[in-house]
Amino acid sequence: MSRRVRTAALTAATAVALSVALAAPAVAAGPVAAPGDHDATGRAVRAAVADGVPGVTVTVRRGHGTWAASAGTGNLKTGKPRSARDHYRIASITKTFVATVVLQLEAEGRLSLDDTVEQWLPGAVRGNGHDGRRITIRQLLNHTSGIFDYLEDPGFQQTYMTAEGFLKHRFDEAAPEDMLAIAMKNEPYFEPGASFAYSNTNYLLAARVIEKVTGSDDYGDEIDRRIIGPLHLTSTSVPTTRVTLPRPGSRAYSKLARTDTGPTYDVTELNPRLAYGSGQMVSDSADLTRFYSALLGGRLLPPEQLKEMKTTVASSRETSRYGLGLVDRKLSCGVHVWGHDGGIYGSNSDAVTTGDGRHSLAVNFNGDWSGSTDAIIEAEFCAK
């Protein structure tokens, strides 16, 4: 699962006082309301705001119907409420999009999951025990490569993940090769294939493989052409170096620290390029439910590739297993949902769907220090 990656930006250097007014969800149904009772989901949304999350937005897709709700505040200065139509940074949910494109390329015979990283990116993975000649594309996608996560590098954390560093460097433009070089300065976690360790460097490399195989200047062009366009995901983008969020959208808030106390900062604007293929994208809840419904429903991958994607390994959580950019999560009621979570400063998101793609949910918190998306997912899929 995501480590709630923390790379975000600040729009004002001053802290804003956190005063969230708890409000009942504003429900916005689609052309056909999603069947089922969503009362428990609505209560879980309100509870997250009561626990300290500034605001929550959630959409449920079931069959041909949708149900959406929001609660809490989207702008702490103006008191503007959150909206079910808000755009937000989806962080590591980006990984499912990247993995889908890689698997499409495999279906087209343009690469094999058993190809080594060295075959496509010669010399890229070398140093301190890393060796791309021994690591496969499959191992990148399921995090069994052992490659060091550049986000865990002490220098990177000091530069980008402390409050002082963040305020100074939030708009930095760094090339993927710079992030890869940071990873290569550290030793790998283990021998390729020996274990599981979530590493954002894996998906930086996967995005680079997409570019090399297709000849595209940017992996995002392939996501646009293969997924965003065909599914008409009008609120979804790979924003390169754009620092603002599309409208409509709420502000994003963070403590800029590993604590739930202290000042609250507006961190809406940032350069997302630092996250690259591991977490660069922007979307909204409606688009994410459409994407995961289509993916698990077999509209984006042939059966063989979808089976590969759903072939899992043990992860860092007892209740979940990791496939190829896709997490199999077992809920308390025994229901399995597939999807991914994503965390970046000021934004925590989760998107899941049932194995047939017929019942999907996507949720976002515009704060990163409190609340749990798990409770909302449990309420939707397990409440009687």
Side-chain angles (χ1 to χ4, degrees), residues 46-369:
R46 295 193 297 273
V49 177
D51 287 343
V53 177
V56 181
T57 182
V58 62
T59 295
V60 173
R61 180 179 300 271
R62 195 165 188 177
H64 296 291
T66 60
W67 174 89
S70 59
T73 305
N75 187 317
L76 296 177
K77 286 186 175 180
T78 66
K80 179 182 177 180
R82 286 221 71 178
S83 164
R85 298 178 58 242
D86 279 350
H87 293 80
Y88 50 83
R89 303 189 190 281
I90 66 173
S92 286
I93 294 173
T94 301
K95 291 179 173 69
T96 311
F97 286 82
V98 170
T100 300
V101 172
V102 172
L103 286 162
Q104 288 179 343
L105 293 172
E106 186 201 39
E108 295 164 9
R110 301 175 70 177
L111 61 76
S112 167
L113 293 179
D114 296 320
D115 289 347
T116 65
V117 176
E118 181 74 10
Q119 286 176 249
W120 292 105
L121 304 173
V125 180
R126 296 287 178 88
N128 290 309
H130 290 98
D131 188 349
R133 295 169 297 184
R134 302 172 56 223
I135 297 169
T136 66
I137 294 173
R138 187 192 309 275
Q139 290 168 339
L140 295 180
L141 298 183
N142 66 12
H143 296 295
T144 62
S145 71
I147 295 175
F148 186 84
D149 186 352
Y150 67 88
L151 290 179
E152 298 293 327
D153 178 78
F156 183 92
Q157 293 185 350
Q158 182 67 32
T159 302
Y160 296 107
M161 300 171 74
T162 63
E164 180 181 0
F166 175 77
L167 298 178
K168 183 178 180 180
H169 296 285
R170 64 191 185 272
F171 300 129
D172 280 7
E173 293 190 20
E177 287 73 21
D178 298 330
M179 304 298 101
L180 183 59
I182 290 172
M184 294 300 103
K185 291 179 181 178
N186 297 270
E187 294 182 357
Y189 296 124
F190 46 76
E191 290 292 308
S195 187
F196 172 93
Y198 192 92
S199 174
N200 290 281
T201 312
N202 287 324
Y203 276 78
L204 181 158
L205 290 163
R208 277 306 204 205
V209 168
I210 290 171
E211 293 166 354
K212 191 65 177 290
V213 173
T214 63
S216 296
D217 292 333
D218 192 291
Y219 77 97
D221 295 339
E222 293 300 313
I223 290 177
D224 285 340
R225 185 172 70 84
R226 294 167 174 271
I227 301 174
I228 294 174
L231 293 183
H232 305 291
L233 304 181
T234 56
S235 295
T236 303
S237 62
V238 187
T240 62
T241 58
R242 173 177 173 168
V243 301
T244 58
L245 285 173
R247 295 181 179 180
S250 292
R251 308 306 293 176
Y253 298 99
S254 177
K255 298 295 184 180
L256 294 177
R258 298 179 183 274
T259 177
D260 58 2
T261 60
T264 301
Y265 299 91
D266 183 326
V267 296
T268 311
E269 278 83 31
L270 63 98
N271 185 343
R273 198 66 169 176
L274 286 175
Y276 206 62
S278 69
Q280 191 174 346
M281 292 178 66
V282 168
S283 189
D284 70 3
S285 294
D287 270 11
L288 290 179
T289 60
R290 187 177 299 115
F291 167 62
Y292 278 103
S293 292
L295 178 61
L296 273 294
R299 292 176 55 194
L300 292 173
L301 294 174
E304 180 180 348
Q305 277 67 40
L306 185 56
K307 182 180 178 180
E308 293 272 17
M309 192 177 222
K310 296 173 73 174
T311 300
T312 60
V313 298
S315 73
S316 55
R317 289 187 183 180
E318 291 184 2
T319 57
S320 66
R321 294 177 61 86
Y322 205 97
L324 305 184
L326 191 68
V327 178
D328 174 14
R329 186 184 313 183
K330 183 179 180 181
L331 304 181
S332 63
C333 57
V335 171
H336 283 254
V337 292
W338 297 82
H340 214 291
D341 65 352
I344 195 166
Y345 269 144
S347 179
N348 278 340
S349 308
D350 223 325
V352 297
T353 189
T354 50
D356 58 7
R358 294 183 179 179
H359 187 182
S360 306
L361 175 148
V363 58
N364 172 260
F365 295 168
N366 66 334
D368 59 23
W369 64 88

